């Protein structure tokens, strides 16, 4: 069992020369603008305002770094796929995400967040293909589990697996509201990165 005891904001960046130096292993979170990325980060770290939650999707335009237990970094990447922004902004966000993924030797895993209620989007498919191409370990977490009926969970998992081309990989379902599956998600994401407690 892995327990997160301390978490703190480190810095925000838009390009690689602004990334923090520290050599900590990193876990990056990526997903659509309205998938609840900031909410799940706050929920996993048990901090209400660690990551800023916006009422307007697509507001996070920075790469945000958080230090976890003085042992590793949690990295919040800009959300993608928000319809109400210009093509030039979409391209800029894509470049920010790509620059991070291509230039962080300390990156150990990427957590791809998808909405449990909906079929993953074309952007989600492109993202997982990109991560596979560069042999980056991916963990898929389906958010908003509390919005699903119990008998729809298996159906949702099958749709996510088929759309993203998953075979052996796990799909973890999580609710930031009820914290259902909290320990399971923390253990999977931080396995091999944070120490286990007895």
């Amino acid at each position: 069992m892995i327990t997160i005891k301390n978490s703190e904001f480190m810095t925000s960046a838009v390009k690689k020369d602004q990334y923090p130096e520290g050599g900590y292993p990193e876990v990056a979170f990526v997903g659509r603008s309205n998938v609840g990325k900031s909410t799940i980060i706050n929920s996993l770290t048990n901090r209400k305002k660690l990551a800023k939650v916006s009422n307007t999707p697509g507001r996070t335009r920075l790469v945000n770094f958080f230090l976890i237990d003085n042992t590793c970094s949690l990295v919040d990447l800009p959300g993608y796929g928000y319809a109400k922004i210009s093509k030039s902004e979409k391209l800029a966000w894509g470049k920010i995400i790509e620059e991070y993924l291509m230039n962080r030797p300390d990156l150990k895993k990427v957590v791809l967040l998808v909405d449990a209620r909906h079929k993953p989007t074309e952007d989600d498919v492109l993202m997982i293909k990109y991560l596979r191409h560069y042999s980056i370990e991916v963990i898929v977490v389906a958010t908003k589990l509390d919005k699903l009926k119990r008998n729809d969970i298996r159906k949702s998992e099958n749709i996510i697996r088929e759309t993203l081309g998953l075979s052996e990989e796990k799909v973890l379902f999580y609710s930031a509201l009820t914290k259902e599956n909290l320990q399971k998600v923390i253990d999977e994401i931080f396995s091999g990165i944070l120490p286990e407690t007895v």
Side-chain angles (χ1 to χ4, degrees):
M1 187 174 88
I2 294 171
T3 305
I4 295 175
K5 298 185 181 72
N6 298 295
S7 54
E8 58 186 276
F9 173 75
M10 293 170 71
T11 190
S12 296
V14 290
K15 49 189 177 180
K16 62 182 180 182
D17 60 8
Q18 298 172 333
Y19 299 161
E21 293 180 18
Y24 296 109
E26 293 180 352
V27 177
F29 280 60
V30 70
R32 282 177 58 79
S33 300
N34 57 353
V35 79
K37 201 150 39 68
S38 299
T39 303
I40 193 173
I41 289 170
N42 290 339
S43 178
L44 294 178
T45 57
N46 200 27
R47 291 277 305 276
K48 287 183 179 177
K49 296 180 180 177
L50 184 66
K52 290 179 182 174
V53 179
S54 172
N55 292 326
T56 308
R59 290 297 292 275
T60 305
R61 304 179 186 200
L62 303 165
V63 180
N64 294 309
F65 294 82
F66 304 95
L67 182 61
I68 307 296
D69 288 346
N70 291 308
T71 302
C72 71
S73 293
L74 190 160
V75 184
D76 181 11
L77 296 173
Y80 54 75
Y82 188 50
K84 294 182 181 177
I85 61 168
S86 67
K87 282 188 177 179
S88 60
E89 278 187 294
K90 282 184 181 178
L91 284 172
W93 290 4
K95 285 177 181 173
I96 290 170
I97 294 171
E98 185 175 14
E99 185 173 31
Y100 169 78
L101 293 173
M102 293 296 295
N103 290 285
R104 288 310 267 179
D106 297 321
L107 177 63
K108 303 302 179 189
K109 301 179 186 180
V110 171
V111 179
L112 175 61
L113 301 175
V114 296
D115 191 322
R117 302 168 298 173
H118 306 299
K119 179 180 176 180
T121 66
E122 287 182 23
D123 289 320
D124 295 324
V125 174
L126 285 173
M127 177 56 68
I128 200 162
K129 283 181 177 177
Y130 180 92
L131 295 168
R132 283 181 182 138
H133 178 75
Y134 289 103
S135 301
I136 299 170
E137 183 180 346
V138 186
I139 296 168
V140 178
V141 176
T143 64
K144 307 182 183 181
L145 171 59
D146 52 282
K147 301 282 202 310
L148 273 189
K149 293 176 181 173
R150 290 286 122 186
N151 54 1
D152 286 339
I153 294 173
R154 175 63 66 183
K155 179 182 172 185
S156 172
E157 181 176 347
N158 289 338
I159 290 170
I160 291 167
R161 285 190 170 283
E162 185 179 342
T163 308
L164 296 180
L166 303 176
S167 53
E168 299 301 312
E169 299 96 330
K170 290 179 183 174
V171 177
L172 302 172
F173 282 79
Y174 183 64
S175 167
L177 186 69
T178 66
K179 297 205 173 186
E180 184 175 351
N181 294 334
L182 171 68
Q183 193 61 55
K184 189 186 294 185
V185 171
I186 288 177
D187 289 347
E188 189 69 30
I189 290 173
F190 295 100
S191 171
I193 297 173
L194 285 177
E196 293 192 24
T197 56
V198 179

